[in-house]
Amino acid sequence: MTMARAEDAVTTSCGLADLELLAGARQRAEQLVGLLATLPFTEYTLRVAREYVDESGPIREAFDRFASLDAVEQQRRLRVWRGGAS
């Protein structure tokens, strides 16, 4: 593997990790919205909300990295992440 290919593999691997992190955050956000729509709030609701807020730094960083890519690269990484590599 050439140096350029090794760097591309690392970049893709990091990009896919970012997409995994963002997808997980979306699932947790959906869960949190459902909990917040139900009254009364429980200790579980509070715990889920705190966990979501505690994870916000890495999620924001992953989002910023993904958003900084051009649209073609974003779509390429999404295809790879979804399993339709190209």
Side-chain angles (χ1 to χ4, degrees):
M1 180 181 284
T2 68
M3 183 58 117
R5 284 190 173 260
E7 289 174 9
D8 187 50
V10 169
T11 300
T12 299
S13 175
C14 291
L16 297 181
D18 282 350
L19 289 171
E20 288 293 329
L21 183 63
L22 293 170
R26 182 180 65 191
Q27 289 174 337
R28 286 186 301 283
E30 290 170 352
Q31 175 191 24
L32 182 55
V33 166
L35 291 170
L36 292 172
T38 305
L39 290 174
F41 296 148
T42 64
E43 284 297 317
Y44 179 71
T45 303
L46 182 59
R47 184 169 53 97
V48 171
R50 284 186 176 147
E51 289 171 0
Y52 188 78
V53 170
D54 289 346
E55 296 171 348
S56 66
I59 293 166
R60 175 175 276 178
E61 292 166 6
F63 181 81
D64 289 345
R65 282 189 296 271
F66 186 76
S68 72
L69 301 171
D70 65 46
V72 172
E73 181 62 14
Q74 286 178 354
Q75 291 303 311
R76 185 188 73 79
R77 288 188 187 191
L78 284 168
R79 280 192 307 274
V80 170
W81 181 71
R82 290 178 179 138
S86 118

